[in-house]
Amino acid sequence: MTTHALLLLPGDGIGIETIAEVERLIAFFNARSNAGKFVVERDLVGGSAYDAHGVSITDAAMAKALKADAVMFGAVGGPKWDKVPYEHRPEAGLLRLRKDLDLFANLRPAICYPALADASSLKRELVEGLDIMILRELTGGVYFGEPKELVTLENGDRRAVDTQIYTSREIERIAKAAFDLARKRGNKVHSAEKRNVMKTGVLWNQVVTEVHKSYAPDVTLEHILADNCAMQLIRNPKQFDVIVTDNLFGDVLSDEAAMMTGSLGMLPSASLGAPDAKTGKRKALYEPVHGSAPDIAGKGLANPIATIASFGMALRYSCDMGKEADLIDKAISAVLDKGLRTGDIMQPGMTQVGTSDMGKAIEAELRALTV
Ligand code: NAD
């Protein structure tokens, strides 16, 4: 039987609580599924790694991540670590994972479960049945470009610089990933940039157009200015299938899409590298979009669905277990249909449950779906 090596990095705050619910499902599949067995390792990341080792991720944990078929990441950060040196801040652990695994493609689906359409901040008819994928370039752009500095000038003014840089190679590989994804979905890509005011936007537009012509003429491509994309997401989100965009715009647009589905607690994500030349396997990290939620951490209130759905994406994209991934999606939908809600998605007349009861209910649905 195939084995899948998983590295669990729960991190801080609610990451610890939501990854525990993934462990519940790993145990379930290990006991029941014939599609593969999970071999699990664990390590620290973020503030908890800083407390134990003085760094946000150790070289030993990085080595495990490089070996794993998939990394399941919880969340990092919290006020406790607000004053640690900048290079050791909790987020640095996540940025190192993304950089060293060369995870350049960040997939953020925004799906509106029918049972939650009324919990969205948009009208039901705008979001019911919504299923869009935001593909964000993750390793380039303004978060990494040099120079990046904050200096005091001779006249006493302070000046901060961030640099947006993209090469054609970086744009080409994310464009190809977008067209590949679209072929498995609605066959439509919107490419969002700011070619009207940014040189990187001009290059982005040129390269995506070239890749479309040579690699994916069968897919519909539309170019859209990133600010217009932000407006259109609120006006008529169902016009989109796959939106491909850079690191900064993707960060903002995917959080905007988050709110359409009701809660950050519902949003999974995947970050993938290039396929390995020999094995075809991609390095991969799966994580909920939300952070460590210090306001509710340790209280058993966190919604584990974003992390569980991220595990579902790991099954689909890293473990060749698409059937099991579909089962997870069905189990989540069934639990919501039965009226179970964590506090973040609570509605009148529904039953409020905590993190572990939500995890147990999803496991029970999986059991019912697989007998
Ligand atoms: P957050 O996502 O942690 O929380 C925002 C709000 O959403 C909070 O009110 C929180 O209670 C709620 N929320 C988030 N996830 C939830 C869930 N699963 N169930 C129920 N409610 C949920 O964002 P923040 O408050 O801006 O950041 C808190 C910390 O997390 C900061 O230190 C920040 O740097 C860090 N952060 C980490 C990541 C990451 O690890 N990838 C991402 C974003 C923020």
Side-chain angles (χ1 to χ4, degrees):
M1 188 183 291
T2 320
T3 57
H4 306 289
L6 293 183
L7 173 63
L8 304 185
L9 295 175
D12 309 317
I14 65 167
I16 296 163
E17 296 159 67
T18 63
I19 287 284
E21 299 314 310
V22 166
E23 294 197 72
R24 187 191 298 286
L25 300 194
I26 290 172
F28 171 84
F29 283 118
N30 269 350
R32 292 197 148 225
S33 172
N34 296 324
K37 285 268 176 276
F38 297 104
V39 179
V40 175
E41 287 200 282
R42 288 170 192 78
D43 217 311
L44 301 172
V45 68
S48 56
Y50 181 78
D51 288 347
H53 304 294
V55 289
S56 54
I57 188 160
T58 60
D59 291 344
M62 275 308 312
K64 287 183 195 169
L66 282 160
K67 256 186 14 219
D69 292 318
V71 178
M72 283 297 317
F73 185 96
V76 290
K80 183 179 173 196
W81 301 285
D82 276 353
K83 294 203 164 58
V84 305
Y86 183 76
E87 66 273 24
H88 296 314
R89 70 201 189 284
E91 290 77 5
L94 180 56
L95 293 180
R96 180 169 175 203
L97 279 160
R98 287 176 180 166
K99 197 77 187 162
D100 289 9
L101 299 181
D102 201 13
L103 305 175
F104 67 87
N106 183 223
L107 283 62
R108 292 192 178 190
I111 294 168
C112 186
Y113 292 95
L116 291 185
D118 289 327
S120 167
S121 46
L122 298 188
K123 293 188 199 105
R124 171 178 272 275
E125 61 268 26
L126 286 182
V127 292
E128 196 169 15
L130 182 74
D131 180 1
I132 60 182
M133 179 73 82
I134 300 198
L135 185 62
R136 166 187 170 195
E137 200 291 326
L138 202 59
T139 50
V142 75
Y143 294 162
F144 297 103
E146 296 285 348
K148 183 184 252 321
E149 61 184 17
L150 201 168
V151 292
T152 302
L153 303 176
E154 276 174 15
N155 67 2
D157 283 356
R158 281 165 298 163
R159 187 186 66 190
V161 178
D162 294 292
T163 306
Q164 166 94 337
I165 301 178
Y166 271 108
T167 64
S168 51
R169 194 186 74 88
E170 287 172 310
I171 302 168
E172 193 180 310
R173 64 183 185 171
I174 191 81
K176 283 185 175 165
F179 291 125
D180 287 346
L181 264 179
R183 284 193 179 113
K184 293 187 184 151
R185 298 173 42 95
N187 217 38
K188 188 162 73 172
V189 170
H190 279 81
S191 169
E193 32 61 12
K194 288 284 287 176
R195 63 187 177 282
N196 51 343
V197 286
M198 295 172 78
K199 287 294 176 201
T200 47
V202 173
L203 183 66
W204 187 280
N205 183 281
Q206 285 173 0
V207 175
V208 174
T209 305
E210 289 158 14
V211 172
H212 178 239
K213 207 169 156 202
S214 62
Y215 181 78
D218 53 307
V219 179
T220 303
L221 169 67
E222 287 185 34
H223 296 282
I224 186 166
L225 294 176
D227 49 342
N228 185 29
C229 187
M231 280 198 292
Q232 295 297 328
L233 271 171
I234 298 293
R235 197 183 69 83
N236 177 17
K238 283 191 243 174
Q239 70 183 289
F240 295 109
D241 175 28
V242 174
I243 297 172
V244 62
T245 190
D246 74 14
N247 203 343
L248 175 63
F249 297 139
D251 197 357
V252 177
L253 293 174
S254 56
D255 273 7
E256 185 187 355
M259 276 301 100
M260 290 169 200
T261 65
S263 164
L264 269 175
M266 298 296 299
L267 274 181
S269 80
S271 301
L272 307 177
D276 181 273
K278 278 194 199 132
T279 64
K281 277 198 170 184
R282 290 174 185 265
K283 296 266 180 294
L285 180 142
Y286 300 86
E287 57 173 324
V289 169
H290 62 72
S292 58
D295 53 334
I296 57 165
K299 298 180 181 162
L301 296 174
N303 185 347
I305 292 179
T307 312
I308 288 174
S310 302
F311 176 58
M313 291 181 84
L315 299 188
R316 196 180 301 286
Y317 296 113
S318 291
C319 305
D320 205 14
M321 292 171 71
K323 201 174 120 242
E324 285 74 10
D326 288 344
L327 285 174
I328 289 182
D329 288 343
K330 274 192 196 138
I332 292 170
S333 212
V335 164
L336 295 171
D337 283 345
K338 287 184 176 162
L340 296 195
R341 299 283 188 275
T342 43
D344 57 314
I345 51 172
M346 186 57 191
Q347 294 161 294
M350 303 291 150
T351 308
Q352 187 162 343
V353 295
T355 312
S356 61
D357 281 343
M358 182 58 94
K360 282 179 197 159
I362 291 169
E363 185 195 5
E365 285 300 333
L366 276 175
R367 186 167 293 116
L369 287 165
T370 49
V371 284

